[in-house]
Amino acid sequence: MAESLGVAVIGAGMAGKAHAAAYRTASALYSPVLPPVRLVSIGDVNAEFGSLAARRFGYERNDTSWQAIAEADDIDVVSVVIANSLHREVVEGLLAAGKHVLCEKPLSDSMEDARAMADAARNSSSIARIGFTFRRTPGIAYIRDLIRTGVLGNVLHFSGRYWTDYGFSPSAPMSWRYKGGPGSGALADVGSHLAYVSEFLCGDIQSVSGGQLSTVINKRPLPLAAVMGHDHAAVSDTFEAVENDDYAAFNAEFATGAGSFEVSRVAAGHANSLQFEVFCENGAAKFDQRRPAEIQLFLNEGSSNDNGYRQVILGPGHPYIAGGLAMDAPEVGFGQNDAFGYQARAFLEEVAGLSEAESLPRCATFDEGVRNMELLDAVTESALNDGKKITL
């Protein structure tokens, strides 16, 4: 085991700050078996954003180029949390420099780049993983356990949606999120999460059909200054065309069961609303990210007069919680930021050389990231061909 692990985060935006905070708390989760974690650098081309994030989260410095982080001898582990189109160059450069890399989803903005990144990861001596953070959510992991242990049984039907509203205002400023080809908008941004969750629970999707992509706000104003995350900043009277999808929907067939999916970045009133319901042979379960410390569970037991969904409050008996919260007690609550902490902890455990038996489940591989993009690519192909069925 290394004497210590030096950490950097490239990207000081909304998700970048979540990664930065997660590394700060990761060593305090569970038993203290990790080597000391050194918070070294926040990298961002905007020096002001990088400096503010470094000071806020206790990192030693900020850098304005990924190359500086790749060349730094005091950095071992790097999270890459920047625009999808920039992932390949940065990740390949970091792996070549011997850094361990945790890349945000989706893996890239093109299948060619994603497959090249997976090849680079396979041929590297470093560890490369992708951040599908929702696999760390206790409620989702618990539902998976209920399916796999037979309590719920085989999946018959999955219904999911991920609604967000960061783009519902026509005055929301233009950013990289609104650029790219078909399927690189809401489908890639939040549909990647929803699609991954569905396969995490239900197994591989065999085919997709009924693909639909819609751009409902066709142009957006340019911001007057740098914009972080989903911030709504002052804008100019110059507009640029939106190139990708505000809304997407599709149907899917699993090995057992079927599914329906809907994602949006223009769903006013739903800031971050991942919801799904999974129907199985022995009952069903519901999850709502806005109430992450609970699930709704229906088991087909007893009289139909008394049967129905019941609330299950998540606590130390459910995945990832026991030993992983400062207040390790029932009903203390859980949120999405905690999931980033578990993700960082799992990645650091693997880098540190802890065995799988004594670690959290590993983070997803780049090959899983390619699989997720292949699925979204099939949805896009379906949408561009009048909803045609596409077999994976």
Side-chain angles (χ1 to χ4, degrees):
M1 186 178 294
E3 290 186 4
S4 66
L5 293 173
V7 171
V9 176
I10 298 178
M14 179 179 68
K17 288 187 287 188
H19 279 251
Y23 286 118
R24 185 176 178 86
T25 62
S27 59
L29 298 172
Y30 307 105
S31 300
V33 293
L34 286 179
V37 176
R38 293 177 288 103
L39 306 177
V40 181
S41 178
I42 301 291
D44 200 288
V45 292
N46 186 304
E48 180 185 6
F49 287 172
S51 177
L52 288 171
R55 294 202 304 271
R56 175 178 176 181
F57 297 108
Y59 285 68
E60 296 171 11
R61 64 176 184 265
N62 68 286
D63 288 293
T64 55
S65 74
W66 68 263
Q67 291 90 344
I69 288 174
E71 294 167 3
D73 293 335
D74 54 351
I75 293 172
D76 308 292
V77 173
V78 185
S79 273
V80 176
V81 199
I82 51 180
N84 305 333
S85 61
L86 304 177
H87 284 181
R88 179 180 177 181
E89 178 188 12
V90 175
V91 167
E92 288 183 347
L94 291 169
L95 291 176
K99 309 303 184 188
H100 303 288
V101 177
L102 178 62
C103 182
E104 254 303 322
K105 62 79 220 167
L107 199 54
S108 185
D109 66 338
S110 76
M111 289 304 312
E112 178 184 359
D113 284 356
R115 291 183 178 126
M117 291 167 67
D119 287 341
R122 244 178 266 115
N123 295 320
S124 174
S125 59
S126 300
I127 296 169
R129 297 289 181 257
I130 184 169
F132 286 112
T133 315
F134 282 106
R135 73 185 284 161
R136 299 295 168 192
T137 301
I140 295 175
Y142 178 47
I143 292 171
R144 187 193 201 205
D145 288 348
L146 292 172
I147 293 170
R148 294 197 164 190
T149 59
V151 175
L152 283 172
N154 288 334
V155 173
L156 305 177
H157 171 201
F158 175 90
S159 177
R161 72 187 196 193
Y162 199 157
W163 289 352
T164 63
D165 67 358
Y166 64 84
F168 85 90
S169 171
S171 64
M174 175 58 71
S175 76
W176 64 266
R177 295 182 187 277
Y178 302 105
K179 296 291 187 178
S184 66
L187 182 64
D189 189 16
V190 292
S192 54
H193 275 309
L194 184 62
Y196 184 84
V197 166
S198 77
E199 293 198 311
F200 184 69
L201 296 173
C202 309
D204 286 351
I205 289 174
Q206 308 292 310
S207 66
V208 299
S209 62
Q212 180 182 351
L213 301 173
S214 296
T215 305
V216 295
I217 298 176
N218 295 310
K219 61 181 181 178
R220 293 190 179 274
L222 295 179
L224 293 173
V227 178
M228 181 181 294
H230 297 157
D231 289 352
H232 285 204
V235 295
S236 71
D237 56 3
T238 301
F239 286 74
E240 284 189 354
V242 173
E243 298 175 354
N244 53 28
D245 43 291
D246 292 320
Y247 169 91
F250 65 98
N251 300 314
E253 295 283 345
F254 300 93
T256 63
S260 59
F261 300 74
E262 187 182 38
V263 298
S264 176
R265 62 189 182 195
V266 291
H270 290 268
N272 184 37
S273 184
L274 169 67
Q275 301 176 56
F276 66 80
E277 195 161 2
V278 58
F279 305 94
C280 305
E281 292 174 314
N282 304 324
K286 296 180 187 179
F287 177 81
D288 185 339
Q289 176 59 22
R290 297 169 301 177
R291 302 176 67 89
E294 66 180 63
I295 68 164
Q296 300 292 316
L297 180 63
F298 166 65
L299 295 175
N300 189 25
E301 300 171 341
S303 167
S304 60
N305 294 329
D306 305 318
N307 238 348
Y309 272 102
R310 59 186 174 86
Q311 181 189 48
V312 177
I313 302 296
L314 302 171
H318 298 105
Y320 315 139
I321 295 179
L325 296 178
M327 185 180 290
D328 190 9
E331 300 189 10
V332 298
F334 174 89
Q336 192 169 350
N337 282 303
D338 298 272
F340 280 97
Y342 294 146
Q343 176 176 273
R345 173 74 187 208
F347 188 53
L348 292 173
E349 286 176 342
E350 185 175 12
V351 170
L354 273 68
S355 70
E356 290 194 54
E358 57 183 338
S359 302
L360 287 172
R362 302 302 196 202
C363 294
T365 66
F366 275 21
D367 286 332
E368 290 178 87
V370 170
R371 160 68 190 186
N372 182 256
M373 285 190 61
E374 288 173 341
L375 173 54
L376 301 182
D377 195 54
V379 173
T380 302
E381 183 180 351
S382 173
L384 296 177
N385 289 277
D386 299 320
K388 176 183 175 182
K389 180 177 179 178
I390 308 295
T391 301
L392 286 121

